[in-house]
Amino acid sequence: MRVFKFGGASVKDANGVKNVVSVLKKVGYDNTLIVVSAMGKTTNALEVVLDNYFNNQSELQSSVQDIKKFHNAILLDLFDDEAHPVFETVGKLFSELDYFLEKNKSPDYNFVYDQVVGFGELVSTTIISHYMEQQEVHNNWLDVRNLIKTDNFYRRANVDWDLTQHNIQEQVNQKELNITQGFLGSDANNFTTTLGREGSDYTAAIFAYCLNAESVTIWKDVVGVLNADPRYFENAQLLNKISYTEAIELAFYGASVIHPKTLQPLQRKEIPLYVKSFLNPEQSGTVVNKGFGIEPKVPCFILKQKQVLVSLSTLDFSYVVEENISDIFNLLHQFKMKVDVIQNSAISFSVCFENNYNNLDKLLQQLKAKFKVTCHENVSLYTIRHYNQAAITAMEKNKSILLKQILGETVQIVTK
């Protein structure tokens, strides 16, 4: 069994959908399961719907209509006959979305988020499945919410591995081509949950683990895993091979090509992960498997933007000791802050984190009761793996350095 994952960029329009079928015909699709993301920027568009739902009801229907029009244009490009059953099936999914937005009573943003954004993947896989059938690529459409079961930690749900493995092994026909949604699961009450943004890679790894797959391939719009994001860094190089351990390090620090949770289940069963170009499917790309380090061994650059840097010291200038640090981490956990860098000295403690849940003001209010607090919002965090002095010098040029930390082969720099 092989697992393929196609992201939003690969299915952003009708030509992208056609190219997916072309890729499958070139590389084969027997004994294969395909995980697909929402089309293009649909998840972002659904986040606009959410914002309007909570904050600007007058624009709600307009934002929903934009998404319907986007997908309908793709349908009209792919299917000649509007009587094709795909139009009715997609229409029913959007009717479910409309019904939820009309009838929902929950004020919990995170719960509502998961119920709404999941429609992106449900619609995309429905369209692609029907188009593949039209092209005589026969497939089974699977609702991933019946397979991947999670807790109710909405927007970053935790997988119930035992139940998920049982469901997948019972319900997936490994002798056929299957297509399902990335990013989604469901809780004990069958409400939709999500695995975190960019969680479709993780979905592919979950299926690979549960199916004892021979490999996972993530199809991207790049040639493979690069040592830097070419949107922000010049002269990015292809990494031919990466060990699981090194890839986990890169993912932990924020490398955008591989989702942080994706690699652990693959490493447990030594399932190789390929990152390849859907534009040039016959190129070798990058392989992640057991071994050591990276090839070639060059500095790897990672940028995380829109971070928050908070520096703390005790009000009486006493030492920052274990009890203080414990209090700080309890608050960071309470307000769902994802910590990326920690630095402490005898009388100060600094932490750089992501404010994904917009709880910064609440956190600062709590911290100011016990500490002197300095806060820098909208800072950038640069990480260099396998750094050299030239890489550090280039990174620091023309930047205001707020924090710098070197640990082993990694340097992290927070800049304003």
Side-chain angles (χ1 to χ4, degrees), residues 288-336:
V288 181
N289 56 15
K290 62 180 180 178
F292 300 95
I294 58 174
E295 177 193 310
K297 190 167 184 178
V298 293
C300 296
F301 302 87
I302 300 159
L303 169 62
K304 297 184 84 169
Q305 297 176 307
K306 298 180 180 178
Q307 300 278 298
V308 178
L309 178 66
V310 171
S311 298
L312 309 169
S313 58
T314 53
L315 294 171
D316 60 0
F317 296 101
S318 59
Y319 291 147
V320 176
V321 293
E322 291 84 352
E323 181 181 350
N324 304 124
I325 295 172
S326 176
D327 290 342
I328 295 165
F329 273 100
N330 283 335
L331 289 170
L332 290 167
H333 175 73
Q334 177 184 336
F335 293 110
K336 299 181 179 180

Side-chain angles (χ1 to χ4, degrees), residues 221-397:
D221 55 355
V222 292
V223 293
V225 178
L226 305 177
N227 74 322
D229 188 329
R231 292 175 298 176
Y232 308 114
F233 301 95
E234 296 178 355
N235 305 316
Q237 294 178 247
L238 175 68
L239 302 176
N240 301 315
K241 295 180 181 179
I242 312 176
S243 69
Y244 291 118
T245 302
E246 183 63 35
I248 288 169
E249 289 277 5
L250 291 172
F252 172 79
Y253 289 115
S256 60
V257 175
I258 303 171
H259 188 272
K261 291 182 180 177
T262 299
L263 296 154
Q264 287 139 342
L266 300 181
Q267 183 180 26
R268 281 191 216 117
K269 292 192 175 179
E270 296 185 353
I271 299 169
L273 169 69
Y274 296 91
V275 181
K276 303 180 75 171
S277 168
F278 59 74
L279 300 174
N280 297 288
E282 275 118 4
Q283 289 184 350
S284 56
T286 301
V287 60
V288 181
N289 56 15
K290 62 180 180 178
F292 300 95
I294 58 174
E295 177 193 310
K297 190 167 184 178
V298 293
C300 296
F301 302 87
I302 300 159
L303 169 62
K304 297 184 84 169
Q305 297 176 307
K306 298 180 180 178
Q307 300 278 298
V308 178
L309 178 66
V310 171
S311 298
L312 309 169
S313 58
T314 53
L315 294 171
D316 60 0
F317 296 101
S318 59
Y319 291 147
V320 176
V321 293
E322 291 84 352
E323 181 181 350
N324 304 124
I325 295 172
S326 176
D327 290 342
I328 295 165
F329 273 100
N330 283 335
L331 289 170
L332 290 167
H333 175 73
Q334 177 184 336
F335 293 110
K336 299 181 179 180
M337 301 299 183
K338 184 181 181 299
V339 175
D340 291 310
V341 183
I342 302 162
Q343 188 176 82
N344 68 290
S345 66
I347 60 171
S348 68
F349 182 94
S350 295
V351 58
C352 186
F353 54 81
E354 299 172 17
N355 180 31
N356 288 338
Y357 291 82
N358 296 316
N359 288 329
L360 180 60
D361 290 341
K362 297 176 187 175
L363 172 66
L364 293 177
Q365 185 177 4
Q366 294 276 343
L367 289 172
K368 286 175 180 177
K370 293 186 176 183
F371 302 96
K372 180 182 177 183
V373 179
T374 303
C375 177
H376 297 276
E377 296 184 56
N378 201 28
V379 299
S380 296
L381 169 61
Y382 292 89
T383 302
I384 312 174
R385 284 281 294 165
H386 312 296
Y387 67 88
N388 54 38
Q389 189 54 51
I392 294 175
T393 301
M395 186 68 69
E396 293 180 339
K397 187 177 180 181

